[in-house]
Amino acid sequence: MNDIKPITNYSVEIISQLRTQKKQELRESKERIQLLTQELFSPQKSKNKMENMMQHINAGIAAYDGLKTGIMIFQRIHRFFNRKKDKNR
């Protein structure tokens, strides 16, 4: 029942020290996050020319596939809204 914490008096120096500590922790955390995302999203390092060429081909196929899928989705949405206009006439 006597778990009452004593009231600490904060001075300007203590507050500034705590602030600098927290800023340092934030900087370190930001650096860790940047390193992790860089490791996750960076392309794999190729060991020879054949792997390098295959990575470029795969990237090209993925870009083409994404573009084709986007165009198909846009066309379906466009048809859907045009169909509603034709029914109102």
Side-chain angles (χ1 to χ4, degrees), residues 49-74:
K49 289 183 181 182
M50 187 65 176
E51 284 184 15
N52 191 19
M53 187 176 73
M54 290 304 295
Q55 284 180 352
H56 287 297
I57 291 171
N58 285 337
I61 291 171
Y64 171 76
D65 188 42
L67 186 63
K68 185 176 177 182
T69 304
I71 290 171
M72 290 174 59
I73 290 171
F74 178 75

Side-chain angles (χ1 to χ4, degrees), residues 76-88:
R76 286 191 182 183
I77 291 172
H78 188 69
R79 274 189 242 136
F80 176 76
F81 285 114
N82 279 346
R83 201 175 319 152
K84 281 188 170 181
K85 289 180 183 177
D86 291 339
K87 288 181 181 179
N88 291 337

Side-chain angles (χ1 to χ4, degrees), residues 24-40:
Q24 183 62 29
E25 287 176 20
L26 283 173
R27 277 191 219 105
E28 292 169 359
S29 176
K30 182 180 177 182
E31 289 173 4
R32 268 186 278 128
I33 290 171
Q34 285 177 340
L35 286 174
L36 285 173
T37 53
Q38 197 172 26
E39 288 177 15
L40 287 174

Side-chain angles (χ1 to χ4, degrees), residues 6-21:
I7 300 173
T8 49
N9 294 327
Y10 288 109
S11 67
V12 176
E13 292 85 18
I14 293 174
I15 292 173
S16 66
Q17 286 176 353
L18 290 173
R19 184 173 183 223
T20 54
Q21 287 174 355

